[in-house]
DNA sequence: TTGAAAGCGCTAACAC
DNA sequence: GTGTTAGCGCTTTCAA
């Protein structure tokens, strides 16, 4: 059906090597170049990447396995890395495993059959079991956002400094005199949740404050979860005077809960939220936020992966930790002004 | 490096045909089956889909081109169709073209080089220009959510009945006595925007009401856009008594705007929103909503594509129109109770 | 049921 | 610079 290089060879009277060289950026006599270009147009020739992949033993495909597609943080990372990878002629196959370890493992197998050149994974299975086969097959693996302890020093990762981020927010609130600081975390037993809790706890400890369990809530990283968590926090007998909410969706839900309870920010309560600054622009002007460099994470992943791919032998695993930024807004204020 | 069927043949003493038959579900002598299974395990054999693709002339890859990955409606469709396609052993390559027609066209080329078996497209370029090459190459194409006029009757599509959906909402408000109905639309010149406007206008016309331009706003399908649009609407001299907001993000932004203005729903204003019922669960209890069957759209796309693929010759293009549902809540009430 | 052999469309080593 | 050729790992006739 579709034209092949053989057809081009017949049409132009040239050999396959010349054609191959032309398509791969080699030097070809001007006259032949024109000949080829005319034939390509005439025959509607389209290079066949499948055949090329078989020959070169490179699929130029990167497999990406994520826990969830409906999460703003995840999609913005994906779209930034997909952009860069595609520019480098790598395709991205995304597998959403719905936070199910079984599906995650199946995704790894699925992608291995397709001979992906590399694997980027925001891991659901914290044991790292699902990556064993890929590791044995020596496929470059890059973890994002979540480390896997058993794989440390064996695979690369791009993460943010969660402990620092959390500490940064809590210190800010402590500096303003707050002592009762509510914390809204993601799902339990998740790498980022643990790290953000650690940052919170050690910041309190530094300030000589004993953490109060009632102030620590798990909101599942969803809008509804954040909403519920904040509802509970503000209804405590002795409610917190400040809140730190640890992702975008929960911040949104949390702000809604505050509005519905008639609680004014920062008059009645100081709030530090998370991510997606632009979106809050007109809506919650001047919300104080911890901002993760989502585009930076995506870019770093893409570049690291490209690096691993072009230096297969000499590449040694590394953990790249990006830092967060505290964007000062006006949703916080001193406890007793 | 990795084991091939040849290695298996050597290991088992069998021929390639027997192995191929085994892997493709053919009948193999029990003794040989066991032999093969042992060898697979021993050599860590993993089938090479690339080689298979070259031979069978099927990549078992579907290309999906979308305008934006950071949109809840789009990601839920994608994740539902990816799920089904992967179950059928099709991989999905997602290309986010950031609503840029140039990138969209590049994506088509990129995917054609990779010999995708089919193309699913939520189109940015309403002229359909970008699909010409794929159409000529006779690649099955499926449009989602947005029709392309010049391609009608040539490609299949899965859409929702936007005119009906919009009319449904507006009629509901009219029945309650509302005459001044604000409409928050997506970006201008988009298929869905136009259709939803049409539904609104004809519902008003049916009721003998002359539409008021000031009540029609474009919110870009974003949270901030919805927020701004509603801000403007409620500040009109003669503000609407009811609102119809036409996607999820804008509904969210709009509700925030109302809360910030101290406008109570439905006491001061009736509201019909859009999509993502679950998320509103605890947050805006009982919001009256137009609900698109996102999972159904994804499922329909996947199944239609699988159908097109297995009946290449006999398949004739069709437009599948799914209907929306009006979920009654308590965010609307009669104008003069 | 099984084996031998050809070939999918491309790249790259080699010879010219 | 260009042509010839072998072969990537698989499927699929065709014979046995």
């Amino acid at each position: 059906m579709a034209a092949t290089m053989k057809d081009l060879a017949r049409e132009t009277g040239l050999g396959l090597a010349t054609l191959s060289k032309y398509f791969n950026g080699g030097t070809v006599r001007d006259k032949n170049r024109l000949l080829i270009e005319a034939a390509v147009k005439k025959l509607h020739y389209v290079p066949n990447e499948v055949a090329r992949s078989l020959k070169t033993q490179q699929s130029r495909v990167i497999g990406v396995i994520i826990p969830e597609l409906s999460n703003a943080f995840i999609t913005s990372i994906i779209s930034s890395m997909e952009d860069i990878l595609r520019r480098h002629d790598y395709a991205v196959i995304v597998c959403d495993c719905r936070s199910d370890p079984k599906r995650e493992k199946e995704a790894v197998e699925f992608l291995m059959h397709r001979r992906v050149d590399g694997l980027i994974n925001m891991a659901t299975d914290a044991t790292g079991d699902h990556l064993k086969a890929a590791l044995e097959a020596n496929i470059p693996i890059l973890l994002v956002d979540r480390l896997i302890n058993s794989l440390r020093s064996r695979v690369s990762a791009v993460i943010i400094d969660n402990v620092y981020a959390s500490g940064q927010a809590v210190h800010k609130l402590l500096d303003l005199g707050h002592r009762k600081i509510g914390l809204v975390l993601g799902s339990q037993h998740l790498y980022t949740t643990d790290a953000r809790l650690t940052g919170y706890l050690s910041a309190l400890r530094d300030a000589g404050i004993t953490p109060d369990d009632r102030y620590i809530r798990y909101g599942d990283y969803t809008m509804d979860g954040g909403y519920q968590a904040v509802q509970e926090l503000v209804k405590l007998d002795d409610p917190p005077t400040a809140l730190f909410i640890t992702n975008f969706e929960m911040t949104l839900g949390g702000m809604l809960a505050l509005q519905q309870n008639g609680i004014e920010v920062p008059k009645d309560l100081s709030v530090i939220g998370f991510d997606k600054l632009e979106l809050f622009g007109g809506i919650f002007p001047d919300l104080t936020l911890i901002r993760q460099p989502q585009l930076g994470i995506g870019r770093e992943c893409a570049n690291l992966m490209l690096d691993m791919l072009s230096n297969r032998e000499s590449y040694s695993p590394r953990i790249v930790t990006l830092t967060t930024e505290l964007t000062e807004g006006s949703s916080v204020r001193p406890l007793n002004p």
Side-chain angles (χ1 to χ4, degrees), chain A:
Chain A
M1 177 73 237
T4 72
M5 277 176 53
K6 243 188 205 160
D7 298 321
L8 287 184
R10 195 174 332 104
E11 180 73 20
T12 58
L14 296 168
L16 286 172
T18 311
L19 291 163
S20 178
K21 201 176 269 174
Y22 167 81
F23 287 116
N24 293 296
T27 350
V28 176
R29 229 192 290 275
D30 252 30
K31 187 185 58 178
N32 290 335
R33 194 174 48 69
L34 292 165
L35 217 52
I36 296 173
E37 280 160 5
V40 165
K41 198 158 274 173
K42 179 173 172 203
L43 303 179
H44 298 291
Y45 172 76
V46 172
N48 186 326
E49 287 293 335
V50 175
R52 176 181 272 170
S53 291
L54 179 61
K55 180 64 197 183
T56 60
Q57 302 286 57
Q58 299 186 25
S59 60
R60 292 193 89 82
V61 174
I62 305 295
V64 176
I65 307 174
I66 53 167
E68 209 70 65
L69 199 55
S70 49
N71 170 296
F73 175 67
I74 296 178
T75 53
S76 57
I77 290 178
I78 293 197
S79 96
S80 124
M81 75 188 175
E82 192 258 333
D83 190 27
I84 297 174
L85 290 174
R86 181 139 50 93
R87 257 200 257 289
H88 289 261
D89 246 306
Y90 279 87
V92 168
I93 294 181
V94 178
C95 297
D96 177 347
C97 71
R98 283 100 193 283
S99 297
D100 175 357
K102 183 158 154 283
R103 289 203 195 200
E104 189 174 41
K105 191 167 189 175
E106 286 165 5
V108 173
E109 283 160 17
F110 178 80
L111 293 169
M112 284 183 67
H113 289 188
R114 308 204 93 105
R115 292 293 195 271
V116 293
D117 289 342
L119 232 34
I120 297 180
N121 179 212
M122 184 176 296
T124 287
D125 183 351
T127 68
D129 213 41
H130 60 296
L131 291 172
K132 246 173 55 185
L135 224 45
E136 273 168 16
N138 207 27
I139 296 172
I141 297 175
L142 180 59
L143 298 176
V144 200
D145 191 54
R146 306 172 185 177
L147 253 29
I148 293 178
N149 277 323
S150 65
L151 263 41
R152 283 211 192 212
S153 84
R154 300 184 55 198
V155 304
S156 287
V158 176
I159 55 173
I160 64 149
D161 192 338
N162 288 287
V163 176
Y164 174 76
S166 191
Q168 201 178 14
V170 176
H171 274 299
K172 175 84 194 169
L173 296 170
L174 288 167
D175 287 348
L176 292 167
H178 294 278
R179 288 296 172 267
K180 295 181 287 183
I181 300 174
L183 176 67
V184 181
L185 293 167
S187 316
Q188 294 203 47
H189 312 302
L190 223 52
Y191 174 81
T192 50
T193 300
D194 289 349
R196 286 167 201 176
L197 176 57
T198 301
Y200 169 87
L201 293 175
S202 74
L204 289 189
R205 201 174 308 118
D206 289 353
I209 297 172
T210 310
D212 185 335
D213 273 359
R214 295 172 310 140
Y215 293 160
I216 300 172
R217 302 279 158 164
Y218 295 89
D220 209 28
Y221 282 143
T222 65
M223 198 167 90
D224 204 35
Y227 176 84
Q228 302 299 348
V230 171
Q231 285 281 10
E232 291 167 19
L233 284 169
V234 298
K235 282 177 182 149
L236 287 174
D237 287 340
D238 186 24
T241 61
L243 245 44
F244 173 42
I245 311 179
T246 61
N247 90 335
F248 168 68
E249 280 85 356
M250 297 193 303
T251 300
L252 206 53
M255 290 305 288
L256 276 158
L258 295 179
Q259 291 209 353
Q260 289 189 4
N261 283 281
I263 293 170
E264 279 183 46
V265 173
K267 192 169 129 292
D268 308 325
L269 188 72
S270 288
V271 175
I272 297 184
F274 227 84
D275 279 342
K276 274 278 179 185
L277 198 59
E278 338 68 87
L279 261 193
F280 288 129
I283 302 179
F284 302 116
D286 274 344
L287 198 57
T288 301
L289 293 168
I290 293 290
R291 196 166 152 64
Q292 304 185 80
Q294 277 129 264
L295 300 192
I297 295 173
R299 194 184 323 121
E300 197 61 35
C301 286
N303 290 333
L304 222 58
M305 181 49 79
L306 291 171
D307 218 41
M308 294 168 84
L309 259 18
S310 45
N311 306 299
R312 289 293 301 248
E313 303 319 318
S314 67
Y315 190 89
S316 58
R318 69 198 56 173
I319 296 176
V320 176
T321 305
L322 301 178
T323 61
T324 53
E325 222 176 88
L326 175 70
T327 309
E328 301 269 359
S330 51
S331 63
V332 295
R333 70 163 200 181
L335 179 58
N336 296 308

